[in-house]
Amino acid sequence: MHRGFVELLRSNSDHAKEFQSRFDDVQDSQRPDVVTVCCSDSRVLQDHMWGNDRPGRIFTCSNIGNRVVQRTESGEAVSGDVLYPVEHTGTDTVVVVGHTGCGAVTATYDDLTGGISEPPGIEHCLELLKPRLEAGVESLPADLSRTEAVNRLVEYNVDRQVEFLVESDEIPSAVDVVGVVYDFQDAYSGRRGQVHVVNVDGETDVEALREDHPEIASRVERLWEY
């Protein structure tokens, strides 16, 4: 058996000891406060970034590029894994979590600027991102480094995912939709691993966000105001 998996099982033994009694209140149902849509990048510690150790608190979804859109026979729709907790568990906050150095955003950027070849499954994911990033790529300042360009597009992608949710009839207007970026590349001020709020219900202006939401003002920061 692969050593990495054996180590995971050992860690799970410690987890099981610690959490023995923590499932008592959620064995038969769940009512998470928040659904997060994270990139599935291994560097994004999806529960740990929030300090979460309580089962039933966060409904966590992940995919490459933290996408909220899926294609159906009748057109684009809110992804079922995002919509499920809103529809069925009373969850009233959706958080789209992008991250610096996102590989999916990088691949989409490369595809839009020069073309790349990927296996069909990955190509499908990029095809869901490309329509939302195309205008952002065209608007990038010419003097940016590749790293800077990608991290601005990370924000732009978060904005487009938030926009889709806010404009969707499937998401009730009472549901809060927040866009954030998890930074481990020192792109933002603050420490590595810190979450920066870049969008709330479609609002992206930093000063407006700080004024409207003083309780999170210190976490509001953007790389790109377009």
Side-chain angles (χ1 to χ4, degrees):
M1 179 62 67
H2 191 275
R3 184 177 64 184
F5 179 65
V6 173
E7 291 175 353
L8 288 180
L9 288 178
R10 289 173 180 160
S11 296
N12 176 253
S13 294
D14 295 333
H15 167 82
K17 290 177 183 177
E18 182 182 354
F19 278 71
Q20 176 64 27
S21 62
R22 296 192 190 183
F23 292 95
D24 291 349
D25 296 331
V26 293
Q27 288 189 4
D28 299 320
S29 65
Q30 59 172 327
R31 294 192 66 82
D33 298 322
V34 177
V35 50
T36 61
V37 190
C38 302
C39 185
S40 50
D41 191 295
S42 64
R43 298 166 293 183
V44 179
L45 304 177
Q46 297 177 25
D47 267 313
H48 198 59
M49 73 166 74
W50 311 112
N52 183 42
D53 62 357
R54 193 173 83 223
R57 180 186 178 199
I58 301 175
F59 193 104
T60 304
C61 314
S62 67
N63 56 64
I64 62 171
N66 41 273
R67 307 179 318 275
V68 303
V69 183
Q70 67 184 46
R71 288 179 180 161
T72 70
E73 292 183 357
S74 57
E76 292 186 336
V78 176
S79 180
D81 48 1
V82 180
L83 190 58
Y84 180 85
V86 174
E87 280 282 310
H88 295 290
T89 70
T91 303
D92 60 7
T93 303
V94 181
V95 182
V96 179
V97 186
H99 69 91
T100 50
C102 179
V105 170
T106 301
T108 305
Y109 171 66
D110 289 341
D111 202 10
L112 287 168
T113 55
I116 59 174
S117 178
E118 292 285 358
I122 297 175
E123 183 178 353
H124 171 76
C125 296
L126 299 185
E127 287 299 320
L128 291 172
L129 287 175
K130 283 167 64 176
R132 289 174 168 79
L133 291 186
E134 189 169 10
V137 170
E138 293 174 353
S139 301
L140 286 169
D143 59 346
L144 294 179
S145 69
R146 176 181 171 82
T147 297
E148 291 170 330
V150 167
N151 283 336
R152 291 198 186 193
L153 288 174
V154 164
E155 278 189 356
Y156 192 85
N157 180 44
V158 168
D159 290 338
R160 300 289 73 76
Q161 305 301 322
V162 169
E163 179 181 57
F164 186 82
L165 293 173
V166 169
E167 294 181 354
S168 173
D169 292 336
E170 297 178 291
I171 301 295
S173 58
V175 172
D176 291 324
V177 183
V178 182
V180 306
V181 177
Y182 179 74
D183 182 22
F184 50 75
Q185 289 188 332
D186 305 314
Y188 296 78
S189 62
R191 293 173 292 186
R192 294 178 184 176
Q194 191 159 302
V195 167
H196 301 268
V197 179
V198 300
N199 191 315
V200 178
D201 293 327
E203 178 61 71
T204 62
D205 180 77
V206 169
E207 293 307 316
L209 287 171
R210 288 173 176 167
E211 182 176 347
D212 293 343
H213 306 281
E215 69 278 16
I216 61 168
S218 64
R219 289 300 190 89
V220 174
E221 184 175 2
R222 289 186 64 92
L223 300 176
W224 194 10
E225 296 195 51
Y226 42 82

